[in-house]
Amino acid sequence: GGIYFKGTVYINFSWKEDVFPLFCNRIMGKVFNLFFRAVSVEASARHKMLAISFAYLLSVVLTPQSYLLMTNAKTEIFDKASPERCEEHQRLDDKLFRTCAGVVEEAIVKQELILDSGVSVEDVSLSFYAMTFGTIGLLLKKDRTCGAPASAILEDKVIAHINIVMNGFCWAKPEQSQQAFLEQLKAEVFADEIAMLHARGVDLQTGI
């Protein structure tokens, strides 16, 4: 890249605090693209939810800084961002969440999932959203200060945890095996992203 002077930056941004939200929103747009591809696959709703978690894992491993950006977006760093950036961020956040909620609603329609009284679609969606976000954050760092064993495998743990949550809601299991579906995701839906990881020598199992 070239050299940019302060005056050049302020042509496009109201103040320096507006630069960070721009990059964060761009990352969120890319994540939504992966989510959209995940839920567009022909599969059970349960496998689609699995695909969303896998898609988010892919986005983080491909660009680890994306996780830091999206984590910091939940702090006061957005307080000084322009209203336009904040509105865009909220719109993208809603789209990501609604993607999860849409899969839960599909599962209910297909009778894969029956919610207990008092449990909403939003409650279930937030459980998956938070679990994936948190598990990746806790296991991505090599030092694993959260107390996870050194043998913890990032991909395996994300998949295991999403299954724990789905099993907790008694979400019916599809006929297609989970392993076969994951192989399909890697070979077809996210083939380009997997190829990029291989080209960089990055292991999806460890994230490094």
Side-chain angles (χ1 to χ4, degrees), residues 77-152:
I77 197 163
F78 258 71
D79 290 349
K80 295 183 180 180
S82 66
E84 292 78 15
R85 301 274 187 242
C86 291
E87 289 171 8
E88 181 185 12
H89 176 76
Q90 188 60 56
R91 178 180 60 81
L92 289 166
D93 202 39
D94 288 344
K95 285 177 68 175
L96 290 172
F97 186 79
R98 283 306 308 167
T99 303
C100 293
V103 174
V104 175
E105 290 168 349
E106 181 181 335
I108 294 172
V109 170
K110 290 180 175 179
Q111 296 187 321
E112 292 182 28
L113 177 65
I114 300 174
L115 299 185
D116 291 337
S117 177
V119 178
S120 68
V121 168
E122 288 71 23
D123 292 334
V124 179
S125 302
L126 182 59
S127 297
F128 293 111
Y129 202 57
M131 184 286 306
T132 303
F133 194 79
T135 299
I136 292 173
L138 290 171
L139 295 180
L140 186 62
K141 281 193 171 184
K142 199 173 181 180
D143 57 13
R144 295 186 174 88
T145 54
C146 63
S151 59

Side-chain angles (χ1 to χ4, degrees), residues 156-171:
D156 290 351
K157 290 301 180 183
V158 169
I159 299 303
H161 288 184
I162 195 74
N163 276 304
I164 289 171
V165 177
M166 287 192 283
N167 291 341
F169 285 113
C170 298
W171 197 322

Side-chain angles (χ1 to χ4, degrees), residues 1-13 19 23 26:
I3 298 174
Y4 296 91
F5 297 98
K6 182 186 295 186
T8 304
V9 172
Y10 284 119
I11 291 175
N12 298 303
F13 303 99
V19 179
F23 289 121
R26 283 183 178 177

Side-chain angles (χ1 to χ4, degrees), residues 15 44 57 67 74 85 92 131 139 145 157 172 190 206:
W15 43 75
S44 66
L57 172 62
Y67 183 82
K74 306 305 178 184
R85 301 274 187 242
L92 289 166
M131 184 286 306
L139 295 180
T145 54
K157 290 301 180 183
F190 300 119
T206 61

